[in-house]
Structures are given as C-alpha cells and as structure tokens.
Amino acid sequence: MPATRDSVNSHLWARQASRRQAGVLSKKQLISLGWTLDQIRAQTDAMRWVTLYPGIYRTVTGEATREGELWAALLACGDGAALSHETAAEVWGFGPVSDLVHVLVPAERRVAPRPGIAVVRSRYAAARTDPRAVAPRTRMDDTVVDLVESCVGELDAVGWITRAVQRRRTTAKRVHAAALLRAGLHHRALIDATCAQVAEGAHSPLKVGWVQRVERPHGLPRPTRAGLP
C-alpha cells in the first residue's frame, strides 16, 4: 500500500514526539498523531517497537535507557502523572537511582498495578508538579518535603534536607516555605529545626544532630558557621 501524505506526516510527528520522550510513546499519543491501531500493531508484530507496558511502546532501536524507563512509567500512569519521591530526587540530582519508579498521580486517578512502579495519589498533584520540567516531576522543594515525610528514621529525614541544600539544588528557606504550605506534617518540628540549623551552616546530618542533642541541651556556645542561602 503506497504511503499517503497523511501517513508520512503521522510518522514524522511521531518521530519528533518520540525524541522528546526518550523514544517512548503511548497508544493514546500515537492515535492523536494520526496512527491507526493496525499501523501500531504492525510495528509491534514486526518487532520494530517494544511494548513496555500495555499501550506504551519503545519506538527506537538500541539499548534501553533510564530516561526511557522513566517516561514509560509516566505514560503508563496517564495524564497528570509526575515523578516523585526518590525518583524525583534522582532526576533533580540529589538522590541515587531509585529501585522503583515513584509516580505521583491525581487523587481521582486509578492506576492498574505495574511492575517497577510505585504510585502515590494526591489531590495536590498538579500544584506540586514543576511546570518547567521536561519529564514531569514534583517541584524540588516539595520533593524534599515528601521524602522527609516518608522517612522513619530522623537521621534519614535530616539527610534529605542537608543533601539537597549541599548540592545547591535548593535552600533551607525554600524547603521550609514548602513545608509551611502543608497541613498535618508528621515531621513538621523536625523540618522547622533542621531548616533553621542548615540555614545557620550545619551542612550534614551529623552537624544537625550535634546542634540538637549537644549544643542546645547543654547550653554550649554556638560556633560561627558560614550560612547558606
């Protein structure tokens, strides 16, 4: 069957969209670009495309990439999905590669369980998503607050704040401001105290712990520290 102008255009549009998403596209996106179900099926049957999740395809050849894995998880979770928690920290540059891909979705969304994806639902999903990020993700400061709230141990919670500030991804003042916008935080007192100490120059969990457990309880003089913005 000869190629038509429309079919050529649909292929070009899909290629351009694919480049923006690390080679990954959804069935919904492809149909909106002019593809038919038969055309999509022909690509997968010929093994030119790989099905990553139902209705989610890797449309490029070569080795799978981490960026493609993250896009696949986002597309599998539908419109309004954003990387969150450990995965958002990973892409923001202050956390390691996460074992699961953590995705935040609107509260009304019901997402079928997918291997490798941890879904969190929130009615504030849209407000906490950074509109400038190419791969949708929670805002930097909301990511820090989310991570602190998910921690059981105090040292781990303090570590997320100090790490994000140390790597100059945010400031103690901005993290504290993000926390003030939330009601019912389990670790509110910890966030308040840690942000104050980090702003005064306590750059690590150990230094924060020293201030909390030694300096202040024993009335020791406070050393001069280089403040952070």
Side-chain angles (χ1 to χ4, degrees):
M1 181 176 182
T4 65
R5 182 176 179 180
D6 285 345
S7 67
V8 170
N9 284 339
S10 68
H11 279 69
L12 290 174
W13 294 331
R15 189 178 303 165
Q16 291 169 359
S18 172
R19 289 194 188 110
R20 291 193 297 270
Q21 297 177 178
V24 179
L25 290 171
S26 69
K27 181 187 294 183
K28 180 179 178 180
Q29 289 176 322
L30 287 161
I31 291 173
S32 73
L33 293 170
W35 285 68
T36 67
L37 293 177
D38 285 342
Q39 289 173 322
I40 295 170
R41 192 176 303 112
Q43 296 295 323
T44 57
D45 288 348
M47 301 181 69
R48 287 188 287 268
W49 291 358
V50 177
T51 302
L52 302 174
Y53 296 105
I56 308 298
Y57 313 102
R58 180 157 61 88
T59 65
V60 294
T61 57
E63 300 256 341
T65 65
R66 177 61 171 170
E67 187 181 3
E69 181 183 1
L70 300 182
W71 271 109
L74 285 168
L75 294 173
C77 291
D79 294 338
L83 302 174
S84 70
H85 293 79
E86 284 88 345
T87 311
E90 173 193 336
V91 295
W92 279 125
F94 67 94
V97 175
S98 57
D99 294 332
L100 295 173
V101 179
H102 297 261
V103 180
L104 179 71
V105 301
E108 65 276 11
R109 174 74 46 76
R110 293 294 183 270
V111 179
R114 305 280 192 229
I117 302 177
V119 175
V120 179
R121 295 165 51 235
S122 171
R123 57 180 172 158
Y124 302 108
R128 292 175 187 165
T129 298
D130 192 317
R132 300 163 299 175
V134 176
R137 69 198 72 164
T138 49
R139 297 174 186 271
M140 177 78 69
D141 308 303
D142 282 308
T143 299
V144 177
V145 176
D146 286 339
L147 289 165
V148 170
E149 279 295 280
S150 68
C151 286
V152 176
E154 183 178 299
L155 193 63
D156 290 336
V158 171
W160 283 117
I161 298 174
T162 58
R163 191 178 303 115
V165 174
Q166 265 189 325
R167 298 189 183 180
R168 301 194 177 279
R169 296 299 188 267
T170 186
T171 66
K173 183 177 181 180
R174 282 164 44 191
V175 172
H176 188 241
L180 289 176
L181 295 175
R182 301 201 193 186
L185 286 179
H186 178 66
H187 288 309
R188 180 173 301 283
L190 177 66
I191 293 173
D192 290 347
T194 301
C195 287
Q197 291 152 24
V198 170
E200 293 175 1
H203 301 167
S204 71
L206 289 177
K207 289 181 180 177
V208 171
W210 170 266
V211 173
Q212 291 176 338
R213 296 187 179 87
V214 181
E215 266 187 25
R216 291 183 179 173
H218 296 281
L220 298 178
R222 295 165 66 183
T224 301
R225 298 187 178 95
L228 293 173

